[in-house]
Amino acid sequence: MGGQVLLFFSLLSLGSVFGQVSYSIPEEMPKGSLVGNMARDFGLDVKRLKSGKARIFTRDSDGYIELNNERGVLLIKDRIDREALCGQTTPCALHFKIILENPMEFLSVTIEITDINDNPPSFEKSDVKFKISESAVSGSKFILDRAVDSDVGSNGLQTYKLEPADHFVVRLHEQADGTKNVEMVLDKPLDREKNEHLSLVLTAVDGGEPQMTGTMQILITVLDANDNAPVFTQPIYKASIEENAAVGTVVVTVTATDSDQGSNGRITYSISSILDHARGLFEVNDASGEIRLKGNVDYEKARTFQINIRASDDGGLVDSCKVMIEVIDVNDNKPDIHILSKSNVISEDAVAGTVVTMINIEDTDSGENGKVHCSINNDIPFVMKSSTSDFYTLVTDSGLDRETASEYNITVTCSDEGVPSLSSSVTLTLQISDVNDNSPVFESSSYEAYIVENNTPGLSVFTVRAQTDSDWKIQLPAFLLPGGLPR
Ligand SMILES: *[C@@H]1O[C@H](CO)[C@@H](O)[C@H](O)[C@H]1NC(C)=O
């Protein structure tokens, strides 16, 4: 590879030869490579070089180039790194003189070193970390480190790419001093609940052929903002509880979730509103959402309760839900028997169907627990009749007979249909009053007696006896002889 002659001219003055030759070579040429044929370019014979002891004179750049006097050419003596030699300065050139003696001559040589794309853009750090709040607004800017590419011109740094581009874009911001700041600009808002950690790659690209790149990783931790309110798993919770359930019974547990972190996601439950009749009956555990019974519920007093529960996070965002509590009836009330009217005594000749007693039944339980049936002991001549479910009458069934039974103990038993069934009973004592429905009865239907004739009138012949009369407190009647005895 040879250098390119850019410029050639020579001046002759006062017997001395002055001349200048320029070459242009790329950096990084291997040792021994040809830079240029200076003998030819200066119009010198190689013999003159030898006789004149031609040599390179330089003050600063020591030894990149050597002069071969045999061939009259300039060769690469040591690898030239343009970036080491000139940095970002362009053009970059080596300047030296070739000195000849007898007669003395100075030949000026300029070798321009052109850039090759031998340096990729590079970042000082391999990664950079950011903590960005999810509440950061679109357009928020984050300054990134610049990449450096020691090559110049089109081989130098041209542009940046930022990938993936879901949330951020890269922008170059021209500074007053001509440098460019690299900014990462938030394009679409972050959401910690979707993506807490982002990893992006910033690529710096130069314009060489082939292109070279350098990368830096950008690690982003998205910080939580209280951007999520608690949310109940259900808007309405339904629960049921048996009346008389023990204090402390868990009625239902409500649950809300909050996607935020830490205190932004810590939920506290409280009762937000409750109707008067439910006040003091329920409590909610502020941490667990458990709703417990705090007092006694009585189905006969209230059958449903509605409580509104609020869930709030520490940041003050809230949600609320309704809890509907249904009270389940328990068969805890016995039928209550009221005697509305009652006869203590009834005549034995009362006709069948005569009302003896009217009773009213009340059972405050509901459903089966409140359905009541009444009955009486079955060995007596009475029946229970019901007009409505609440009213019963006790009536006589078949004919009464005081002489058979003068008193009845009537037990009315009323039972509900609950399981287990509850019952009540009352016993009524009923006297049967007498009617004169019985004749006196002789012990025997005929009597035979013997009397001696000529007896004294008034002499007792014999005694007839009538059995007691069954009727109540009837005096035995006088005995009458239907006709006189034959005398
Ligand atoms: C009715 O009950 C009373 C009191 O228990 C008792 O003295 C009486 O003998 C009973 N009468 C009948 C007919 O069972």
Side-chain angles (χ1 to χ4, degrees):
M1 196 202 296
Q4 190 185 0
V5 183
L6 287 185
L7 181 66
F8 173 69
F9 65 93
S10 76
L11 294 168
L12 296 174
S13 163
L14 301 168
S16 291
V17 176
F18 293 93
Q20 183 167 352
V21 169
S22 292
Y23 300 101
S24 177
I25 57 164
E27 60 173 329
E28 306 287 350
M29 283 172 73
K31 253 186 211 178
S33 302
L34 177 71
V35 176
N37 189 331
M38 58 77 65
R40 185 194 66 203
D41 296 337
F42 279 105
L44 294 170
D45 195 324
V46 287
K47 287 175 190 161
R48 165 76 184 116
L49 295 179
K50 273 187 184 172
S51 63
K53 293 177 187 168
R55 61 186 189 277
I56 289 174
F57 170 78
T58 174
R59 278 198 176 175
D60 36 21
S61 51
D62 44 7
Y64 285 114
I65 305 292
E66 67 179 346
L67 174 62
N68 183 317
N69 278 351
E70 305 286 324
R71 292 164 54 204
V73 294
L74 294 169
L75 301 174
I76 298 288
K77 187 177 163 196
D78 201 1
R79 190 184 70 87
I80 303 168
D81 181 2
R82 193 206 63 80
E83 288 74 36
L85 196 62
C86 300
Q88 292 290 300
T89 310
T90 53
C92 177
L94 292 173
H95 301 277
F96 57 87
K97 301 267 192 278
I98 294 172
I99 301 169
L100 292 100
E101 296 167 8
N102 301 319
M104 185 165 279
E105 283 183 85
F106 294 94
L107 305 173
S108 291
V109 177
T110 297
I111 301 175
E112 191 196 351
I113 312 298
T114 59
D115 187 43
I116 65 165
N117 194 20
D118 58 344
N119 291 286
S122 72
F123 290 95
E124 199 180 326
K125 294 181 206 147
S126 63
D127 59 67
V128 60
K129 295 185 174 82
F130 287 97
K131 287 183 177 173
I132 302 174
S133 168
E134 63 177 326
S135 63
V137 295
S138 293
S140 301
K141 291 173 188 164
F142 306 89
I143 301 289
L144 300 176
D145 289 348
R146 277 180 290 191
V148 171
D149 189 325
S150 340
D151 295 322
V152 294
S154 64
N155 289 333
L157 180 62
Q158 299 299 310
T159 186
Y160 293 89
K161 284 189 298 188
L162 185 61
E163 287 168 323
D166 317 358
H167 292 283
F168 293 94
V169 292
V170 68
R171 263 194 217 132
L172 300 181
H173 201 261
E174 194 103 23
Q175 297 296 101
D177 64 0
T179 58
K180 284 172 181 167
N181 266 356
V182 188
E183 290 171 348
M184 178 172 76
V185 181
L186 185 64
D187 190 31
K188 289 194 198 85
L190 301 168
D191 184 359
R192 191 202 63 81
E193 287 71 33
K194 277 194 197 140
N195 220 340
E196 192 176 350
H197 297 284
L198 301 177
S199 172
L200 289 82
V201 174
L202 179 67
T203 306
V205 186
D206 68 20
E209 187 66 47
Q211 210 168 42
M212 296 183 96
T213 58
T215 60
M216 176 172 70
Q217 204 176 20
I218 299 169
L219 300 169
I220 296 170
T221 302
V222 182
L223 300 179
D224 189 45
N226 192 23
D227 57 346
N228 289 282
V231 177
F232 274 104
T233 56
Q234 294 166 228
I236 297 174
Y237 290 81
K238 285 186 176 154
S240 56
I241 186 165
E242 285 196 348
E243 62 172 331
N244 305 335
V247 167
T249 302
V250 175
V251 181
V252 67
T253 301
V254 296
T255 308
T257 56
D258 189 309
S259 320
D260 292 324
Q261 261 181 337
S263 67
N264 288 337
R266 188 164 38 233
I267 292 172
T268 306
Y269 300 96
S270 58
I271 292 177
S272 62
S273 72
I274 188 164
L275 292 176
D276 280 348
H277 74 285
R279 222 174 274 275
L281 287 182
F282 300 96
E283 61 186 355
V284 62
N285 181 305
D286 60 359
S288 68
E290 252 176 16
I291 295 171
R292 283 175 188 272
L293 193 60
K294 207 175 138 194
N296 293 314
V297 289
D298 184 353
Y299 180 85
E300 284 69 39
K301 287 185 187 151
R303 297 177 177 198
T304 56
F305 295 102
Q306 184 186 317
I307 310 173
N308 291 340
I309 303 288
R310 178 172 46 216
S312 34
D313 65 24
D314 287 5
L317 297 177
V318 297
D319 188 24
S320 57
C321 74
K322 246 183 226 176
V323 178
M324 314 282 292
I325 300 168
E326 191 191 348
V327 180
I328 299 170
D329 186 44
V330 168
N331 194 17
D332 59 344
N333 291 286
K334 287 202 277 192
D336 194 5
I337 304 173
H338 295 286
I339 296 171
L340 300 178
S341 74
K342 170 180 164 221
S343 316
N344 291 321
V345 180
I346 185 168
S347 168
E348 62 179 324
D349 65 355
V351 294
T354 302
V355 175
V356 176
T357 296
M358 281 175 69
I359 56 176
N360 165 247
I361 313 296
E362 195 185 24
D363 188 318
T364 46
D365 292 321
S366 72
E368 306 293 283
N369 294 336
K371 255 188 213 160
V372 177
H373 292 283
C374 294
S375 63
I376 52 170
N377 38 330
N378 54 18
D379 52 348
I380 51 171
F382 299 93
V383 286
M384 286 293 282
K385 284 190 174 167
S386 75
S387 40
T388 67
S389 60
D390 304 347
F391 288 92
Y392 283 84
T393 50
L394 179 65
V395 299
T396 56
D397 185 15
S398 52
L400 298 169
D401 183 9
R402 194 202 65 81
E403 288 72 26
T404 313
S406 63
E407 182 187 80
Y408 288 98
N409 284 336
I410 306 164
T411 302
V412 177
T413 304
C414 295
S415 317
D416 62 32
E417 291 183 8
V419 179
S421 169
L422 295 177
S423 63
S424 316
S425 60
V426 289
T427 299
L428 311 164
T429 301
L430 186 65
Q431 305 289 339
I432 309 301
S433 65
D434 193 35
V435 167
N436 192 12
D437 54 352
N438 289 283
S439 308
V441 177
F442 283 97
E443 279 174 340
S444 165
S445 58
S446 66
Y447 295 83
E448 267 179 48
Y450 304 91
I451 53 169
V452 194
E453 59 181 339
N454 301 325
N455 56 359
T456 313
L459 184 75
S460 169
V461 180
F462 75 98
T463 306
V464 290
R465 184 169 295 159
Q467 199 191 3
T468 49
D469 185 313
S470 309
D471 291 325
W472 178 248
K473 289 180 181 168
I474 300 287
Q475 297 300 317
L476 278 182
F479 289 93
L480 298 169
L481 289 175
L485 285 172
R487 294 196 174 227

